[in-house]
């Protein structure tokens, strides 16, 4: 059991279970947004779909991960940075989808400007997806 995941779960007042640690480990290993299917692939047969689904929901509610909307229509999840709490998700950053490697990642350093909504509108969450070629792919030699 990795120390990082144990501490992280404790920070968010989550009981440690092997499944939670394992799923968290997958996020820590990848550092980009993952879909339900991606996680399933990573954990193999050790965790069933329903448990993965429930665990993601718990992580989402606790402010451990946030939703990332992909252009493929699939919901992905990415680890929140330290700014999120159980009661409030704090991130207005850009998500970047690479057309070459299909990886969607959080660009935490690119902060969205404050958007003023017309009166009567209330923001619950926002998603900004940019599509292009990521750093790694743009540096890769042409094959
Ligand atoms: Zn968050
Ligand atoms: Zn790429
Ligand atoms: Zn993000």
């Amino acid at each position: 059991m990795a120390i990082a995941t144990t501490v992280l779960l404790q920070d968010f007042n989550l009981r440690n279970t092997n499944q939670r640690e394992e799923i968290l480990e997958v996020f820590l290993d990848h550092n980009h947004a993952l879909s339900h299917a991606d996680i399933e692939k990573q954990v193999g047969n050790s965790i069933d779909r329903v448990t993965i689904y429930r665990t993601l929901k718990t992580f989402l509610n606790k402010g451990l991960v946030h939703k990332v909307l992909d252009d493929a229509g699939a919901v992905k999840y990415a680890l929140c940075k330290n700014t999120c709490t159980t009661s409030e998700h704090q991130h207005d950053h850009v998500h970047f989808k690479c057309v070459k490697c299909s990886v969607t990642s959080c660009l935490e350093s690119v902060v969205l400007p404050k958007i003023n909504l017309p009166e009567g509108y209330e923001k619950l969450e926002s998603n900004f997806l940019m599509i292009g070629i990521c750093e790694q792919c743009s540096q890769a030699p042409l094959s």
Side-chain angles (χ1 to χ4, degrees):
M1 243 173 239
I3 295 164
T5 55
T6 312
V7 171
L8 208 52
L9 286 171
Q10 272 166 8
D11 282 352
F12 285 86
N13 295 318
L14 281 166
R15 203 160 37 86
N16 284 6
T17 64
N18 287 341
Q19 289 97 326
R20 283 176 179 169
E21 299 220 351
E22 208 173 321
I23 292 173
L24 201 51
E25 194 81 53
V26 174
F27 278 108
L28 290 170
D29 279 352
H30 286 79
N31 204 24
H32 60 73
L34 298 166
S35 68
H36 193 288
D38 293 334
I39 295 163
E40 240 180 272
K41 228 180 281 166
Q42 291 293 321
V43 297
N45 294 324
S46 61
I47 309 176
D48 64 83
R49 310 179 63 122
V50 179
T51 310
I52 295 174
Y53 177 78
R54 283 208 201 110
T55 306
L56 286 173
K57 216 171 158 189
T58 307
F59 284 179
L60 202 60
N61 289 338
K62 288 281 183 178
L64 208 57
V65 299
H66 60 280
K67 270 189 201 170
V68 178
L69 298 188
D70 203 79
D71 67 326
V75 177
K76 292 188 175 180
Y77 302 87
L79 272 188
C80 294
K81 301 295 182 245
N82 313 333
T83 46
C84 291
T85 63
T86 306
S87 55
E88 208 184 355
H89 277 280
Q90 287 272 14
H91 32 75
D92 287 320
H93 58 259
V94 170
H95 289 136
F96 194 95
K97 161 98 180 245
C98 176
V99 291
K100 287 200 170 174
C101 62
S102 298
V103 164
T104 307
S105 40
C106 295
L107 297 184
E108 303 277 353
S109 57
V110 185
V111 179
L112 294 176
K114 181 157 172 35
I115 292 162
N116 294 310
L117 292 171
E119 225 184 286
Y121 288 80
E122 183 198 353
K123 182 191 128 180
L124 292 177
E125 56 178 82
S126 57
N127 272 287
F128 187 91
L129 182 70
M130 195 178 276
I131 294 169
I133 295 163
C134 76
E135 190 190 19
Q136 264 175 356
C137 290
S138 65
Q139 283 170 358
L142 294 173
S143 54

